[in-house]
Amino acid sequence: MHELGKFGTVGIVAFGVDVTIFNVLLYGGVNNLLAATVSMVVAATVAFVGNRFWTWRDRERTNLRREYSLYFLFNVGGLVIALVCLWFSHYVLGTVWPFFQTKLADNIAKNVVGMALGTAFRFWSYRQIVFRKTPAES
């Protein structure tokens, strides 16, 4: 539970970064999928620093390059989950119901549905693979 609380705190900060950048770009006329990609990459970097040096700081450091590479590999998974939610909402549901092509609907698809599904995937992958406990820590 302690790890989950720290993970959540880091996530809230990264979420704020993500939503802010996404909306600045979206309202600045940038395509919604590109805006989502840029905002999520920046937010993932913020989250990596917070998770590595605070959430899981007590875990043995294996190799920063390995951790960073795995971290971003699994962030790509989270990014794809959020982009699929955004794409499906805007470009599939939006062809039937125009509301789904609004900026509000884009925010809900990406920042609520996509974020929830992507966060569950990322927490599992970070805890089990990226920042895993070594046998000596168990």
Side-chain angles (χ1 to χ4, degrees):
M1 288 309 273
H2 185 67
E3 284 180 347
L4 186 58
K6 286 182 170 184
F7 182 80
T9 301
V10 169
I12 289 169
V13 171
F15 180 70
V17 169
D18 186 7
V19 170
T20 300
I21 293 172
F22 177 67
N23 280 289
V24 165
L25 294 173
L26 191 64
Y27 282 90
V30 176
N31 172 276
N32 61 355
L33 296 175
L34 178 59
T37 302
V38 170
S39 69
M40 290 172 70
V41 168
V42 173
T45 302
V46 169
F48 176 80
V49 171
N51 284 320
R52 172 65 273 172
F53 298 105
W54 187 53
T55 305
W56 289 295
R57 72 174 177 232
D58 61 327
R59 301 275 173 104
E60 182 179 316
R61 287 191 167 81
T62 53
N63 176 318
L64 191 59
R65 181 177 294 148
R66 174 201 161 274
E67 288 177 353
Y68 193 73
S69 298
L70 285 172
Y71 183 86
F72 274 94
L73 173 69
F74 291 115
N75 262 288
V76 167
L79 170 68
V80 168
I81 289 168
L83 288 177
V84 166
C85 291
L86 177 58
W87 171 83
F88 184 79
S89 172
H90 192 97
Y91 297 101
V92 176
L93 296 177
T95 61
V96 178
W97 298 289
F99 166 77
F100 287 97
Q101 293 183 337
T102 66
K103 289 175 177 51
L104 174 61
D106 286 349
N107 271 280
I108 293 169
K110 178 195 168 290
N111 295 319
V112 177
V113 179
M115 187 258 324
L117 296 174
T119 297
F121 169 76
R122 285 189 296 271
F123 180 76
W124 172 84
S125 63
Y126 299 163
R127 190 168 194 277
Q128 296 300 316
I129 300 169
V130 181
F131 304 118
R132 70 177 180 260
K133 285 186 177 182
T134 62
E137 293 176 297
S138 297

